Amino acid sequence: MNLTLDTFFKEIVDHQSISGTSLIISLYGDYLWTCGGGIWLGSLINSLEILGINQRVVRSSVFRLHKDGWLTISKVGRKSYYYLAQEKYNEVLSANKKIYHSENPVWNGKWNIIHTSLGPVNHCKDKLQYLRYKGFGCFDKDFFIQPYLKEMAQETKEEIIGKIPSAKIFQQAELFYDNFDIVENMINKSWDLSKIESEYNDFYSRFYPVFNMINSLGESSLTDEDAFKIRLLVIHFYRKIIIKDPDLPLELLPSNWPRKKTEKLTIDIYNQVHSKALNYLMNNGEAINGKLPLPSPNYYLRFGGLIK
């Protein structure tokens, strides 16, 4: 292994608060989602131990994810194989669309609004988090807003009502104003864009040197194991930011918004390492019927088309 990369791996694991459960979800969403959906627990332990995540953390994280309905288990003899739960497929699919297939729809100046009485904040954290995940910002205690970028699918509306029965959904609402400062104040009140901007910039500062390291080493000098670790880490930390980004249209964002440069850096690194990283998992991951299956064809459509 290259000493500089060793230093990077050690620093990012030591100085970042990496949750075992979150890292495992990143692994399932990025790799296993497209390679059959499941893996032997021993393979999972070995794959994360090379990043310094000990097996005790992996076992407790898998147990928690199973308990919370994220993973299902199949046993063959003394071996346990963990699969992404069918109930979570839509959630992972939604996140993956945002991560790998970003869009820039045109805004017509109108808004989606949800009015709902959630009650005390400490009793409704899950519902607040759910609405934020759907791209809504909390403008006022009972009002949540989102720029109208496209027609909300009927199943999305039904899902929202199912999660929050008191929700009243309005689409294509118009805001009348004579000063754009009103809109800016509304945006700043509804979303903490400064925090998201800071996280994008921190990501860029942390991973741009990795991009330079790969280029200076040459892709041929990069081991499959190093490629696996880089890919998992870059997509893990990118995912943590992107799922919080409300995808506001450009006219509602601060100037020099760093998402595009961060996205480009992620794509550049991903293209450099994805093939060798996949080799590592194929050669070291065990599925219930033997080797992990090859990725599905749509895997190569990520980020506008992966370089094979």
Side-chain angles (χ1 to χ4, degrees), residues 119-130:
V121 171
N122 60 327
H123 291 158
C124 60
K125 287 182 180 178
D126 289 347
K127 292 177 181 177
L128 284 168
Q129 186 176 358
Y130 169 76

Side-chain angles (χ1 to χ4, degrees), residues 159-212:
E159 179 187 312
I160 292 172
I161 297 296
K163 293 268 188 183
I164 309 171
S166 64
K168 302 171 187 67
I169 302 171
F170 302 86
Q171 287 193 272
Q172 297 212 57
E174 292 190 57
L175 173 69
F176 294 94
Y177 56 90
D178 56 7
N179 188 325
F180 196 73
D181 288 347
I182 294 172
V183 179
E184 288 184 337
N185 289 336
M186 188 169 71
I187 294 296
N188 291 331
K189 186 175 180 181
S190 303
W191 290 280
D192 190 352
L193 292 184
S194 60
K195 182 180 179 182
I196 297 172
E197 183 176 24
S198 175
E199 290 179 1
Y200 273 132
N201 287 327
D202 288 347
F203 175 97
Y204 193 88
S205 298
R206 184 169 295 278
F207 282 96
Y208 189 75
V210 177
F211 174 67
N212 285 335

Side-chain angles (χ1 to χ4, degrees), residues 231-286:
R231 173 174 151 175
L232 180 56
L233 288 171
V234 75
I235 213 67
H236 175 68
F237 286 103
Y238 183 64
R239 167 183 166 268
K240 286 177 69 176
I241 306 169
I242 206 76
I243 61 175
K244 291 185 290 187
D245 189 328
D247 284 337
L248 300 179
L250 288 176
E251 52 264 60
L252 297 179
L253 291 169
S255 59
N256 299 317
W257 183 246
R259 174 167 173 170
K260 277 299 172 189
K261 72 171 187 178
T262 306
E263 181 183 57
K264 183 180 185 305
L265 176 64
T266 301
I267 293 171
D268 288 342
I269 294 174
Y270 201 91
N271 264 315
Q272 287 176 316
V273 302
H274 84 87
S275 183
K276 285 192 170 186
L278 193 60
N279 287 342
Y280 174 84
L281 195 65
M282 293 291 105
N283 292 328
N284 294 278
E286 180 183 327

Side-chain angles (χ1 to χ4, degrees), residues 4-5 43 48 51 55 63-64 73 75 84-85 148 153 185 193 198 207 212-213 243 245 247 260 287:
T4 310
L5 278 178
S43 298
L48 295 184
L51 270 171
Q55 70 167 284
F63 174 79
R64 193 176 307 118
I73 183 171
K75 292 194 174 185
L84 185 68
Y148 178 87
N185 289 336
L193 292 184
S198 175
F207 282 96
N212 285 335
M213 277 187 252
I243 61 175
D245 189 328
D247 284 337
K260 277 299 172 189

Side-chain angles (χ1 to χ4, degrees), residues 2 4 23 34 39 62 76 78 88 168 171 187 195 208 218-219 221 249 268 270 280 303:
N2 178 271
T4 310
L23 190 64
T34 189
I39 195 170
V62 167
V76 178
R78 299 178 64 183
K88 297 296 183 179
K168 302 171 187 67
Q171 287 193 272
I187 294 296
K195 182 180 179 182
Y208 189 75
E219 290 179 46
S221 301
D268 288 342
Y270 201 91
Y280 174 84
F303 293 126

